[in-house]
Amino acid sequence: MPNTNASFSAFSRVDQLKQQLEKLENLSQSQVDSKELDQFDRETEEVLKRVDGRETKMAAYSFATMAEAEALVNLPESAQEPTSRDLLQKSLQQRRQVLLGMVSEMESMEETEAEVLTGEDHEGPPLMG
């Protein structure tokens, strides 16, 4: 059996967040079951711990589940979303916005990491003195 690194994930951080966004879309397309939504939130919190772990991101998601994330993360769509008057719909929209913001941030981070990892070694030969 090959020696594997348990902390390594086959999916990138962005992929993990996008997977949660897809699940959220599926949940919001049908009648939302509170047990399913609770399970989704637990899964999402685990993903957030793995991919980011910063308390501010965890807090933003936690506030989004209560439809209270607008002021914390400066969500731009609150006034544009007519269905957001319904608290459940508002909380779903805020979850989506928080996750989309994190996807954007993680894409930028992963792009920078990839550039660093694939960059050329610019170190010259040792100086002879």
Side-chain angles (χ1 to χ4, degrees), residues 88-104:
L88 176 60
Q89 288 302 314
K90 185 176 180 179
S91 73
L92 292 172
Q93 179 64 17
Q94 288 187 6
R95 285 174 173 90
R96 184 179 301 107
Q97 290 175 302
V98 167
L99 290 173
L100 283 170
M102 291 184 72
V103 164
S104 177

Side-chain angles (χ1 to χ4, degrees), residues 6-116:
S7 65
F8 176 76
S9 173
F11 294 107
S12 72
R13 293 170 292 194
V14 170
D15 291 337
Q16 292 177 60
L17 291 169
K18 285 182 176 179
Q19 188 175 43
Q20 289 307 108
L21 274 166
E22 189 175 310
K23 288 179 183 180
L24 181 60
E25 282 303 314
N26 291 336
L27 277 174
S28 61
Q29 297 298 323
S30 61
Q31 183 67 27
V32 179
D33 175 27
S34 63
K35 288 182 183 181
E36 282 183 89
L37 192 55
D38 288 344
Q39 176 62 33
F40 170 80
D41 287 335
R42 283 191 298 275
E43 286 176 14
T44 302
E45 288 169 1
E46 287 301 315
V47 168
L48 295 179
K49 285 177 190 173
R50 276 195 313 270
V51 302
D52 192 287
R54 288 181 283 178
E55 288 298 317
T56 55
K57 299 300 181 183
M58 299 298 294
Y61 187 80
S62 180
F63 279 105
T65 64
M66 298 179 289
E68 298 288 337
E70 292 158 325
L72 186 63
V73 291
N74 195 21
L75 298 176
E77 293 183 31
S78 62
Q80 301 169 3
E81 209 42 51
T83 60
S84 68
R85 286 186 176 88
D86 175 33
L87 195 58
L88 176 60
Q89 288 302 314
K90 185 176 180 179
S91 73
L92 292 172
Q93 179 64 17
Q94 288 187 6
R95 285 174 173 90
R96 184 179 301 107
Q97 290 175 302
V98 167
L99 290 173
L100 283 170
M102 291 184 72
V103 164
S104 177
E105 186 179 327
M106 289 294 162
E107 283 175 336
S108 175
M109 288 172 62
E110 286 184 358
E111 186 177 301
T112 302
E113 289 170 356
E115 288 174 9
V116 167

